[in-house]
Amino acid sequence: MTKQIANILSSCRILGSVILLFFPAYSAAFYITYLLCGLSDMIDGTVARKTNSTSEFGSRLDAAADLMFAAVSIIKWLPKFHLPWWLWAWGGIIAMIKIGNLILGYVLKKKFISLHTIMNKATGLLLFLLPLTISFAELKYTATVVCAMATFSAVQEGLYVIADHKCGESKPYLSS
């Protein structure tokens, strides 16, 4: 049972994401569920490593849970934000860089590469916290910080993929 705790946490994030769809954004129930989903995302990988229960299935389940949580968060939050055009454009550029990194990784390594760098984790944390700052900070300022971090992280990720290919060896910051 101990070996399944990380997968249970990831599965709970999927269930929590579905539950989020039924709560109004900004409600107490929404915030509590949102925070629990975020907490499960922060600890599932650590639990898997500490219990020596990392697996290909667990990695894919975590990625599916991340995707589900992100998609539901976007569905619930994005209509509530009034984003300026330049922020949409910046987000589009970041998305193109990230997609380019996926394609580059596939071309060079013949597999999809997902990097777990400190900058990617920091970006994820800032992105997770962004909706929680709405009540006390202007979105254009907080989103600028998140986009700057995401841009740096995306460019760094591409450089790591290229450097890993040129060196011909796997780096500890690369994982698929």
Side-chain angles (χ1 to χ4, degrees):
M1 182 63 167
T2 305
K3 298 267 186 194
Q4 296 302 317
I5 294 173
N7 290 345
I8 291 169
L9 287 167
S10 295
S11 297
C12 286
R13 187 161 65 261
I14 292 171
L15 178 62
S17 297
V18 171
I19 292 170
L20 278 175
L21 289 169
F22 296 98
F23 293 135
Y26 303 113
S27 69
F30 184 88
Y31 279 122
I32 290 167
T33 307
Y34 182 82
L35 290 170
L36 289 172
C37 286
L39 180 63
S40 77
D41 186 27
M42 290 180 220
I43 65 173
D44 60 356
T46 302
V47 168
R49 286 184 293 282
K50 294 281 185 192
T51 60
N52 199 28
S53 60
T54 59
S55 68
E56 183 67 29
F57 173 76
S59 177
R60 292 186 189 279
L61 181 63
D62 179 53
D66 289 348
L67 183 61
M68 179 80 161
F69 182 52
V72 169
S73 295
I74 288 169
I75 289 167
K76 294 301 282 192
W77 289 113
L78 208 50
K80 307 292 182 193
F81 296 151
H82 301 291
L83 302 175
W85 69 268
W86 59 266
L87 204 50
W88 284 103
W90 197 352
I93 291 167
I94 295 165
M96 288 189 309
I97 294 169
K98 297 289 279 180
I99 290 168
N101 291 342
L102 282 173
I103 292 168
L104 184 63
Y106 190 78
V107 167
L108 297 177
K109 293 288 193 178
K110 303 298 182 239
K111 63 181 178 179
F112 290 107
I113 297 174
S114 174
L115 301 180
H116 298 280
T117 65
I118 291 170
M119 290 306 294
N120 270 344
K121 289 181 182 290
T123 300
L125 178 62
L126 286 179
L127 194 55
F128 170 74
L129 294 174
L130 182 67
L132 304 175
T133 65
I134 295 299
S135 64
F136 62 86
E138 266 194 77
L139 181 64
K140 65 181 175 182
Y141 300 119
T142 55
T144 299
V145 171
V146 173
C147 284
M149 177 80 81
T151 302
F152 179 83
S153 177
V155 170
Q156 179 190 50
E157 184 177 60
L159 293 172
Y160 281 164
V161 170
I162 292 167
D164 179 65
H165 176 71
K166 286 184 177 179
C167 293
E169 59 187 55
S170 266
K171 303 289 183 226
Y173 49 76
L174 290 180
S175 62
S176 49

